[in-house]
Amino acid sequence: MKIAVIGQSLFGQEVYCHLRKEGHEVVGVFTVPDKDGKADPLGLEAEKDGVPVFKFPRWRTKGQALPDVVAKYQALGAELNVLPFCSQFIPMEIINAPCHGSIIYHPSLLPRHRGASAINWTLIHGDKKGGFSIFWADDGLDTGDLLLQKECEVLPDDTVSSLYNRFLFPEGVKGMVQAVRLIAEGRAPRLPQPEEGATYEGIQKKETAKINWEQPAEAIHNWIRGNDKVPGAWTEACGQKLTFFNSTLNTVGLVPEGEALPIPGAHRPGLVTKDGLVLFGNDDRMLLVKNIQLEDGKMILASHFFKGADSSVLELTEAELVTAEAVRSAWKRILPNILEVEDSTDFFKSGAASVDVVRLVEEVKELCDGLELENEDVYMATTFRDFIQLLVRKLRGDDKESECVIDYVEKEANRLTIKMPHQLFIGGAFVDAEGDKTYETINPTDGSAICQVSLAQVSDVDKAVAAAKDAFENGLWGKISARDRGRLLYRLADLMEQHQEELATIEALDAGAVYTLALKTHVGMSIQTFRYFAGWCDKIQGSTIPINHARPNRNLSLTRKEPIGVCGIVIPWNYPLMMLSWKTAACLAAGNTVVIKPAQVTPLTALKFAELTLKAGIPKGVINILPGSGSLVGQRLSDHPDVRKIGFTGSTEVGKHIMKSCALSNVKKVSLELGGKSPLIIFADCDLSKAVQMGMSSVFFNKGENCIAAGRLFVEDSIHDQFVQKVVEEVRKMKIGNPLDRDTTHGPQNHQAHLRKLIEYCQRGVKEGATLVCGGNQVPRPGFFFEPTVFTDVEDHMFIAKEESFGPIMIISRFANGDVDTVLSRANATEFGLASGVFTKDINKALYVSDKLQAGTVFVNTYNKTDVAAPFGGFKQSGFGKDLGNLILNICYRLLGARPSQGPGVWH
């Protein structure tokens, strides 16, 4: 059936994809215009498929359909309009045009809750049953005949997001597909809507979401959850507008003891307790609110509401005043050139050096009964007034200003309780994205949603870059010594090791990484990387260079290596934590600050890493993490004038675009690790058992989602058949399963779109004449599992011989016995040059082949062996610049030269 899809959003995108999968022809997609340079997901998906996409800002004017719009629509010849979610008014000339008419999805059980904000009103009214309707469009507002309905139970603490994500989205997509199927089969009913029980409510807006306190607790709870998170139920208290989120009636065991929060109009004052904010209805029943948004937009735990007072100046007790004077005397002893230590006296501007920091810490320890200060405390509070305030807070046990409020998502997995942050990390705090934008991150093992993650917008990138720039220019990071910087990175590595099992479990959940591999590689090598670069912090040195003297003067040339500033890091989805570590550790070791964009499909280990940086004491703003789309977040980082370097791992196509943006914006430094088609040459004189073992690893390691995976194996003719036979035997021994199971060797592919790409890749290989020996299909089980695959008889002109699969697909080609130079020519006949390998017992042949292979790494009688001390990177269209080893430091600093003459010189 020829279908026009009219709508928007991820929901519309999913409906579109499923309709095409069902075999329907989508003749056109009509969606909303781009907003802030970002296209709607539905339109993006259709453009990839070559389907015509129209983005009309309006369909009619003054109640009349625009003739040009109608003409473009009619030219498509649609037989049915499908409106999965549409915010525009569509004229009846369009609605009635197809022979089968138009069907619309509505997220309520019609005729109840007609109009916008239907999910909100389902919750606000306390409905016990919710669901969706698919109806035939007419000229009324959600009044058309019903085609089908599905209902679900509304849970007591459901919010708009939870109800939508649990039922309305996934089941709604299925329902739309089912409805189209019924129409195609001629079995679709038209059931008139009853008028009995019909309701209509308007759009919920912020100004109409104020809480009415003259009602029972359950009604207040329903109002709060029905407005969570948009637009947000609010009230006035303490002189500002407070918005409440995360409400529950489950107060079993809750003791209503805490500090009173007077709320005008409320039956009783609220109580700020350790569990959150307790509110009361006019029936004296309690409800609990766990999060509050302040008028300035900051989101806090409700239990921390009154802790904002910590930032005010403390009034000292008499005993504390005595301690302050004793500390003042200590400052006088340490700063002998200062006649009087005033409240405004700055410790370092008064001549203190690093040795004086240690002395001050030790003197305070003696004066304050063993109170332990960190050197960083002195650097953070450099004036006497600030230092005393910090000291007294620590003495009171009330130094919580640096404490970060984290709204965890908790999951039980791998016999652990996994606690995962899910918000943006900017300036040392976890915050919601602009406009509370979120998206689902998916577990590839079963296709279920793990949680909602904040989706960064352009304004969030600007905030993160500003935080990183301020931390670089004004923060502690630039003031502490390189050795202290290294000590913080060592501490971070130690914390990563302490949380190794949790991090590996998150990698398994979010990326489908086999847990045992994640422990060793994804997380294990990340820890090694930070330790390696922590050791480099105080070894980044300049040099003295002999030059000719400009007589009669004597001249000396010096160089100094300095950090460059804010670095943007854009990482891929195959090794989420390890790629973050490879690119971030060196930047931090050199003294830079970073803004990291993890892959949109695998953000969770990056956000857990952010939490660990706080525990390690990394100063605020040094590390910022923004889950989001590459087209929005990555592009803004590449364009931003305050970002001085971009590190990117990903496709060659995107790498070229980033390189261009870096040049046009402010001539940023850039390092690129891009695509590959790494050749592996296996000679007949190899150790065959080892070649089979390593050949398997070269392709199937990490499910084939490996930058340096052997994209093509060249096997000498005399051992070709034996090699293939042994490989197939080993492939059949591989255990495909849940990545958290200890005996699993092959987990799910990272995400659904990649799985589709692998299926299409194999189909093309078969079509071009390659022999599919095994695999090539999706595994028939939930999740994104793909069979380990082997192709033989692959000729040089074939697509699969030239293009990277980035999956568990072994591409095998023969070469004639003894023809070394011809196989080298074939191996080098690619625009990529990331890695390569050779298997032979002949050392002369190994050296000759290694010398001739055009790749950044050549493995000899091994594969996939990387180490934090060895540089990693490619050339040709596989990119430039190195990860790992000390060479990466070369692009993390700027070289400053000076030529003093007969005395101190001027740096220039």
Side-chain angles (χ1 to χ4, degrees), residues 21-68:
K21 193 181 294 184
E22 286 266 311
H24 299 292
E25 180 186 356
V26 178
V27 294
V29 164
F30 298 83
T31 188
V32 291
D34 296 356
K35 185 176 181 181
D36 298 327
K38 183 181 179 183
D40 185 79
L42 170 58
L44 278 175
E45 192 71 26
E47 285 172 350
K48 289 180 190 175
D49 297 330
V51 173
V53 176
F54 303 88
K55 302 178 180 181
F56 302 134
R58 64 182 62 85
W59 293 69
R60 60 183 186 176
T61 180
K62 297 181 180 178
Q64 298 298 314
L66 296 171
D68 181 54

Side-chain angles (χ1 to χ4, degrees), residues 306-556:
F306 286 116
K307 293 186 179 181
D310 289 350
S311 61
S312 61
V313 177
L314 297 177
E315 292 289 335
L316 305 191
T317 65
E318 289 187 14
E320 289 166 346
L321 288 169
V322 171
T323 300
E325 289 308 310
V327 174
R328 193 187 301 271
S329 297
W331 276 50
K332 286 181 183 178
R333 292 192 294 273
I334 296 170
L335 305 171
N337 297 327
I338 302 300
L339 296 177
E340 200 66 44
V341 175
E342 307 286 348
D343 284 352
S344 59
T345 299
D346 188 286
F347 191 66
F348 296 102
K349 290 179 181 178
S350 301
S354 58
V355 67
D356 299 313
V357 173
V358 177
R359 180 179 170 185
L360 179 58
V361 168
E362 290 303 312
E363 290 226 25
V364 167
K365 191 174 182 178
E366 287 188 8
L367 290 169
C368 301
D369 299 324
L371 178 69
E372 294 277 358
L373 290 183
E374 298 284 345
N375 290 0
E376 288 91 335
D377 292 328
V378 183
Y379 288 107
M380 290 297 287
T382 59
T383 66
F384 183 74
R385 179 194 300 108
D386 291 344
F387 185 76
I388 291 300
Q389 289 283 311
L390 177 144
L391 184 63
V392 170
R393 282 196 168 91
K394 285 186 175 291
L395 287 169
R396 293 181 181 182
D398 199 24
D399 55 325
K400 302 298 184 185
E401 285 187 310
S402 61
E403 182 179 330
C404 178
V405 176
I406 303 177
D407 179 23
Y408 291 108
V409 171
E410 294 192 12
K411 294 280 184 184
E412 297 294 329
N414 201 24
R415 299 185 295 278
L416 300 170
T417 299
I418 308 299
K419 300 176 69 174
M420 299 174 287
H422 61 99
Q423 297 166 290
L424 312 183
F425 185 67
I426 300 176
F430 286 98
V431 296
D432 289 334
E434 180 74 23
D436 295 330
K437 298 283 187 181
T438 63
Y439 71 98
E440 286 182 338
T441 187
I442 302 299
N443 182 345
T445 301
D446 59 11
S448 65
I450 300 172
C451 64
Q452 291 284 332
V453 177
S454 293
L455 181 68
Q457 306 298 300
V458 168
S459 58
D460 298 311
V461 180
D462 293 341
K463 292 173 188 174
V465 172
K469 184 182 180 185
D470 184 64
F472 179 75
E473 295 178 350
N474 305 310
L476 176 65
W477 194 240
K479 298 174 183 176
I480 60 176
S481 70
R483 195 159 296 160
D484 282 341
R485 190 163 65 239
R487 185 168 57 83
L488 289 174
L489 294 184
Y490 276 123
R491 187 187 298 169
L492 176 58
D494 290 343
L495 281 164
M496 292 170 71
E497 189 168 55
Q498 291 169 27
H499 290 262
Q500 189 166 0
E501 291 185 355
E502 187 175 16
L503 289 166
T505 302
I506 297 173
E507 290 277 83
L509 290 174
D510 202 27
V514 172
Y515 175 72
T516 50
L517 177 65
L519 275 177
K520 178 182 181 293
T521 303
H522 292 236
V523 182
M525 197 170 185
S526 300
I527 296 165
Q528 294 173 25
T529 302
F530 272 98
R531 286 194 175 133
Y532 175 79
F533 285 106
W536 270 105
C537 286
D538 59 355
K539 301 173 187 67
I540 301 172
Q541 304 162 348
S543 59
T544 59
I545 304 170
I547 60 173
N548 290 335
H549 301 304
R551 302 187 182 207
N553 295 324
R554 294 180 62 81
N555 302 99
L556 176 67

Side-chain angles (χ1 to χ4, degrees), residues 728-743:
V728 172
E729 289 172 359
E730 293 301 314
V731 166
R732 287 173 178 155
K733 296 176 187 176
M734 294 173 69
K735 168 68 186 304
I736 301 173
N738 189 320
L740 289 172
D741 291 345
R742 299 306 189 264
D743 60 345

Side-chain angles (χ1 to χ4, degrees), residues 439-442 444 510-511 573 597-604 628 750-751:
Y439 71 98
E440 286 182 338
T441 187
I442 302 299
D510 202 27
W573 44 258
K597 192 208 87 64
Q600 187 169 350
V601 292
T602 53
L604 295 180
N750 187 277
H751 53 281

Side-chain angles (χ1 to χ4, degrees), residues 774-830:
C774 64
N777 297 299
Q778 181 176 356
V779 179
R781 58 175 290 167
F784 311 142
F785 290 86
F786 188 76
E787 297 172 339
T789 299
V790 178
F791 274 102
T792 60
D793 303 320
V794 179
E795 299 178 12
D796 295 352
H797 68 275
M798 293 180 179
F799 175 82
I800 64 174
K802 297 184 289 184
E803 296 298 325
E804 180 181 31
S805 72
F806 212 65
I809 303 174
M810 183 178 284
I811 307 296
I812 302 176
S813 298
R814 295 174 182 265
F815 69 93
N817 293 331
D819 198 350
V820 177
D821 289 324
T822 298
V823 75
L824 276 170
S825 176
R826 294 171 69 192
N828 287 329
T830 173

Side-chain angles (χ1 to χ4, degrees), residues 180-203:
V180 173
R181 190 181 302 134
L182 289 171
I183 294 170
E185 295 170 354
R187 298 189 299 113
R190 291 177 177 266
L191 307 174
Q193 287 191 38
E195 283 306 308
E196 184 181 353
T199 63
Y200 170 81
E201 296 93 3
I203 297 175

